Amino acid sequence: MASHLHLLLRLPAPPTPPLLRLPWPRTVPLPPSRAAPAAPLLRARLFFSSAYASAVRPARARGSSIGGTGEDDSDGEDGGTLVGEDSATFRLGDQRVASWVYFGGILAVVLWGLNVLWIDPATGVGTRFLEAVAAVSHSHEVTMLLLTIIFAIVHSGMANLRETGEKIIGERAYRVMFAGISLPLAVSTVVYFINHRYDGIQLWQVQGISGIHELVWLSSFISFFFLYPSTFNLLEVAAVDKPKFHMWETGIMRITRHPQMVGQVIWCLAHTLWIGNSVAVVASIGLIGHHLFGVWNGDRRLASRYGEAFKVLKKRTSVMPFAAIIDGRQKLPKDYHKEFIRLPYLTITALTLGAYFAHPLMQASSYQLPW
């Protein structure tokens, strides 16, 4: 944490300025522990598990109908009749310039508000929040775990209250409130992890072993492709379009019904292996536990919303990656690979590479905060 928010061979780079030039003095001393080697991919991921995805908009996927008979009548060409939605689709003809301009404006306002109201120690309350949590214990492990638990309770709790909340204040207003509360907590947790990831008890040290860096890099890169498909619906995430609770069936969902959980587990295991200390272990336990709860809660919410249609989807998908494919419940179409050759996945590839090379900037920005 952290997207699940959330990679490449490290290349030496000249010193770079902080990612964000913040208004307060940059005189916070850098503890020796922070000078330790950085993980190949230490990124801020905002996680959207299947428990917290957006709502459904029935659609037809490559000519397949929504609302099948419940039987997998695959002919090997199109994967059978879909009861869910085709994921990661992006049709240029469906886009409106005004919507994306509106999205850019909302993003700018959100980032400005996040900085002024939460991040900036002079005007925001983020520093006081972290000080209150850290006052519970001098242990970095305890503080890390508490931050993760607080985020998990708020995030999952508001997801469970979504249906009721939307009836009271509407879909868009509830999404804004959801993001407005969850995002600052996520940022605090991620920044604290970056700043204190090497402050724990060292349990093992494998960074000097040949091949470990490449293994961690590849694992972290792959983890990004397990983002839950609703994450790609940026206009719904920002409430430009009305948020919906989707039930996806194609693409990454054929491999696992809960890709966000799988991606988070891969990311946590890779970074815990690389860092090798107690803070990383505690952070991983908290994040994986949160996403395992999301598996149960996500299935429960989908069953409540979609009933028999979800039972059909559940029968031909699996939580464990590839399990439904191996035992024959999921029959892949011959052109399955085309479900990944789509703009959202190409964008994820570019952003993942960019996040890796931006690590020095991300860390420099985190170190400026007395968190």
Side-chain angles (χ1 to χ4, degrees), residues 287-325:
L287 289 171
I288 292 174
H290 174 41
H291 283 75
L292 289 177
F293 172 79
V295 169
W296 170 81
N297 198 37
D299 279 356
R300 181 190 65 80
R301 295 177 63 214
L302 286 169
S304 176
R305 174 68 65 91
Y306 293 105
E308 290 300 320
F310 175 68
K311 290 182 179 179
V312 174
L313 182 135
K314 186 176 181 180
K315 183 183 299 184
R316 58 196 189 199
T317 57
S318 62
V319 176
M320 187 67 65
F322 301 103
I325 297 173

Side-chain angles (χ1 to χ4, degrees), residues 30-71:
L30 181 63
S33 59
R34 297 187 187 175
L41 176 65
L42 187 58
R43 49 178 168 58
R45 284 184 62 172
L46 299 180
F47 301 99
F48 300 87
S49 75
S50 55
Y52 325 116
S54 304
V56 79
R57 174 176 53 205
R60 295 183 181 274
R62 302 204 324 259
S64 298
S65 63
I66 302 298
T69 62
E71 299 296 327

Side-chain angles (χ1 to χ4, degrees), residues 3-4 6 45 47-55 57 84-90 175 223-237 244-261 302 313 336 339-340 342 344-345 348:
S3 146
H4 124 217
H6 177 189
R45 284 184 62 172
F47 301 99
F48 300 87
S49 75
S50 55
Y52 325 116
S54 304
R57 174 176 53 205
E85 296 182 68
D86 191 16
S87 67
T89 58
F90 184 89
R175 172 55 59 85
S223 74
F224 270 98
F225 289 92
F226 282 87
L227 285 171
Y228 194 69
S230 287
T231 310
F232 304 144
N233 291 10
L234 296 179
L235 295 181
E236 288 186 24
V237 171
K244 302 177 182 66
F245 187 33
H246 296 275
M247 184 173 73
W248 305 107
E249 188 172 2
T250 63
I252 197 68
M253 307 301 287
R254 298 185 188 273
I255 296 176
T256 170
R257 191 168 65 252
H258 291 281
Q260 192 71 52
M261 179 274 295
L302 286 169
L313 182 135
Y336 170 62
E339 295 179 358
F340 285 93
R342 294 175 173 178
Y345 284 109
I348 286 297

Side-chain angles (χ1 to χ4, degrees), residues 71-81 331-333:
E71 299 296 327
D72 191 344
D73 54 355
S74 172
D75 59 7
E77 293 295 331
D78 63 1
T81 302
K331 296 180 175 62
L332 299 178

Side-chain angles (χ1 to χ4, degrees), residues 1 4 69 97 147 164 171 188 190 192-193 202 238 256 259 271 274 293 321-322 326 334:
M1 186 182 282
H4 124 217
T69 62
V97 174
L147 289 171
T164 301
E171 293 92 339
S188 295
V190 170
Y192 188 87
F193 177 71
Q202 198 68 35
T256 170
H271 282 72
W274 179 258
F293 172 79
F322 301 103
I326 293 173
K334 292 181 179 179

Side-chain angles (χ1 to χ4, degrees), residues 59-325:
R60 295 183 181 274
R62 302 204 324 259
S64 298
S65 63
I66 302 298
T69 62
E71 299 296 327
D72 191 344
D73 54 355
S74 172
D75 59 7
E77 293 295 331
D78 63 1
T81 302
L82 298 178
V83 296
E85 296 182 68
D86 191 16
S87 67
T89 58
F90 184 89
R91 298 179 181 87
L92 189 60
D94 296 338
Q95 307 305 308
R96 295 172 56 235
V97 174
S99 295
W100 287 102
V101 171
Y102 189 28
F103 170 80
I106 291 176
L107 180 62
V109 171
V110 167
L111 293 178
W112 175 83
L114 181 66
N115 183 55
V116 173
L117 301 176
W118 190 263
I119 296 176
D120 188 342
T123 60
V125 298
T127 299
R128 277 170 280 179
F129 165 75
L130 267 171
E131 289 174 349
V133 175
V136 175
S137 172
H138 294 297
S139 168
H140 294 301
E141 292 84 353
V142 172
T143 302
M144 186 74 248
L145 184 60
L146 286 175
L147 289 171
T148 307
I149 291 174
I150 292 170
F151 171 79
I153 291 174
V154 171
H155 201 262
S156 297
M158 293 191 69
N160 282 325
L161 295 173
R162 174 177 176 172
E163 187 172 356
T164 301
E166 288 180 344
K167 290 178 181 178
I168 298 174
I169 64 176
E171 293 92 339
R172 286 187 173 90
Y174 193 80
R175 172 55 59 85
V176 171
M177 183 176 69
F178 182 91
I181 297 175
S182 298
L183 185 57
L185 296 176
V187 169
S188 295
T189 306
V190 170
V191 171
Y192 188 87
F193 177 71
I194 292 175
N195 287 354
H196 298 283
R197 68 194 185 280
Y198 286 107
D199 289 344
I201 301 171
Q202 198 68 35
L203 304 175
W204 60 81
Q205 178 57 262
V206 298
Q207 293 183 8
I209 298 177
S210 177
I212 293 296
H213 178 271
E214 290 74 13
L215 173 64
V216 174
W217 166 78
L218 182 61
S219 299
S220 300
F221 185 84
I222 291 174
S223 74
F224 270 98
F225 289 92
F226 282 87
L227 285 171
Y228 194 69
S230 287
T231 310
F232 304 144
N233 291 10
L234 296 179
L235 295 181
E236 288 186 24
V237 171
V240 176
D241 289 347
K242 183 180 292 187
K244 302 177 182 66
F245 187 33
H246 296 275
M247 184 173 73
W248 305 107
E249 188 172 2
T250 63
I252 197 68
M253 307 301 287
R254 298 185 188 273
I255 296 176
T256 170
R257 191 168 65 252
H258 291 281
Q260 192 71 52
M261 179 274 295
V262 174
Q264 184 66 83
V265 170
I266 294 173
W267 188 91
C268 284
L269 293 179
H271 282 72
T272 301
L273 173 66
W274 179 258
I275 297 173
N277 67 21
S278 54
V279 170
V281 170
V282 167
S284 292
I285 290 174
L287 289 171
I288 292 174
H290 174 41
H291 283 75
L292 289 177
F293 172 79
V295 169
W296 170 81
N297 198 37
D299 279 356
R300 181 190 65 80
R301 295 177 63 214
L302 286 169
S304 176
R305 174 68 65 91
Y306 293 105
E308 290 300 320
F310 175 68
K311 290 182 179 179
V312 174
L313 182 135
K314 186 176 181 180
K315 183 183 299 184
R316 58 196 189 199
T317 57
S318 62
V319 176
M320 187 67 65
F322 301 103
I325 297 173

